[in-house]
Amino acid sequence: MLGADLEWFTTLAETENVSAAADRLHLAQPTLSRMLARLEQRLGAPLFDRHGKRIRLNEYGRLYYEHARRARAELHAGEQALADRINPAKGVVRLSFLHSFGGRLAPRLIAEFRRGAGRVDFRLHQGAAEVITRQVLDGEADLALVSPRPGEPGLGWRTLLNQPLVLAVPADHRLAGQRQTRIGELADAEFITMHPGFGMRRIFDELCAAAGVRPRIAFEAGDLVTVRGLVAAGLGVALVPEDEPIPPDLAVVPLADAGASRDVGLIWSATATPSEAVRRFREFAVDRAARRHPR
């Protein structure tokens, strides 16, 4: 498959919707349908199951998609390597990060780096820890800011900082103003948490398990802004990083539990060869962390 073929097929496989894929690719739907028919004829197998206007990858399609996705990532990496060789002063860094790092950490890293790095462009993506970790492993992102450290093999990791966790409660909550508390003392509390797959949810689950608590989860959210909003509305309590902005209608209580913190770090594929721009940004982030948070 040529580069264009990889793009349209992987887009169609990821959307499983001919209309949506055609719009994204700026193609007419009949054109995209004919392209798919020719590919299936050449391969000798259907790649999608049809259900009226809906399509879904079948076992042949899923197998082919995994190879096509890796080929697309390799092709993009080759294009970037060539661009770096032609013009070393200009590069692209594909950086993914958790939503909670979009307010300060990621923007500050990029801004400080670009002041001394010249014409380096960034392509940004935000998502859950599991999603952006998979992007790095699949070659769809060069680097990612995550927390906690992923357990998947094949990743490089450097800790950038450690954030203590606190319990966020409504300002009129009985615990507001208390010097500290423990997860074990909150067995009757209703918690507001991130969805499964997010780093903060993993830490929350691990802390509850260590304390022998089966938490009562009232709400799940996809970002810490929503979590704090639900707490402020009196709908429960939540674990949040200490240095996140706290609205005036919230109070925070330090946690005395061992491990009540999160390591924030940078990950990359241990097998991929980074471009010059990616290597320089990675080294900058690690050196910056060493200066600001010496061990």
Side-chain angles (χ1 to χ4, degrees):
M1 300 178 76
L2 298 177
D5 296 319
L6 288 170
E7 289 296 339
W8 74 253
F9 172 72
T10 52
T11 299
L12 185 59
E14 288 162 0
T15 60
E16 294 188 321
N17 184 302
V18 175
S19 177
D23 288 343
R24 186 179 301 180
L25 296 162
H26 305 293
L27 293 173
Q29 290 185 43
T31 300
L32 182 57
S33 295
R34 287 194 295 271
M35 292 163 67
L36 175 60
R38 286 196 294 268
L39 176 61
E40 290 179 322
Q41 183 177 16
R42 181 166 64 84
L43 295 175
L47 302 176
F48 295 86
D49 291 330
R50 275 75 168 175
H51 304 281
K53 294 184 178 181
R54 299 174 55 194
I55 61 173
R56 186 173 298 276
L57 281 172
N58 57 28
E59 60 176 321
Y60 303 116
R62 287 191 295 271
L63 176 63
Y64 194 67
Y65 168 67
E66 288 303 319
H67 289 275
R69 182 177 61 178
R70 290 196 292 270
R72 179 183 62 177
E74 284 296 318
L75 188 60
H76 287 174
E79 292 169 353
Q80 188 54 54
L82 183 60
D84 287 342
R85 180 65 61 87
I86 295 171
N87 187 358
K90 180 176 172 60
V92 175
V93 177
R94 298 172 300 167
L95 178 67
S96 295
F97 50 91
L98 305 184
H99 290 282
S100 59
F101 299 150
R104 287 193 292 178
L105 179 59
R108 288 181 180 179
L109 278 173
I110 294 169
E112 292 177 23
F113 173 72
R114 290 186 70 172
R115 279 197 285 269
R119 299 164 55 201
V120 174
D121 293 331
F122 282 80
R123 296 174 185 168
L124 307 179
H125 179 86
Q126 294 171 271
E130 288 184 358
V131 173
I132 63 178
T133 297
R134 177 49 53 186
Q135 287 180 329
V136 171
L137 288 170
D138 288 345
E140 297 172 2
D142 301 306
L143 300 164
L145 293 164
V146 298
S147 177
R149 181 176 182 172
E152 288 85 346
L155 291 171
W157 162 273
R158 285 292 184 274
T159 301
L160 301 184
L161 62 113
N162 181 270
Q163 294 179 322
L165 302 181
V166 294
L167 182 73
V169 300
D172 58 355
H173 194 273
R174 62 179 177 83
L175 292 176
Q178 191 163 312
R179 292 186 59 186
Q180 65 179 23
T181 188
R182 293 180 178 273
I183 299 293
E185 299 171 2
L186 304 169
D188 294 332
E190 290 194 326
F191 284 94
I192 298 165
T193 72
M194 303 289 283
H195 291 293
F198 284 80
M200 277 297 299
R201 177 58 178 271
R202 175 182 152 192
I203 296 172
F204 171 78
D205 290 342
E206 290 174 352
L207 285 172
C208 288
V213 171
R214 297 184 63 182
R216 297 164 57 195
I217 297 177
F219 294 95
E220 296 176 331
D223 62 81
L224 288 172
V225 173
T226 302
V227 168
R228 292 193 295 270
L230 292 169
V231 173
L235 297 172
V237 302
L239 266 62
V240 298
E242 183 181 53
D243 65 348
E244 291 293 317
I246 302 298
D249 45 1
L250 287 187
V252 296
V253 184
L255 288 170
D257 298 76
S261 64
R262 68 172 184 174
D263 281 333
V264 176
L266 196 64
I267 60 172
W268 59 89
S269 170
T271 59
T273 301
S275 69
E276 179 65 16
V278 171
R279 183 191 62 77
R280 285 192 290 137
F281 180 72
R282 186 173 75 192
E283 290 180 354
F284 165 81
V286 173
D287 290 345
R288 176 183 183 273
R291 293 192 305 271
R292 296 191 174 208
H293 308 280
R295 294 186 178 274

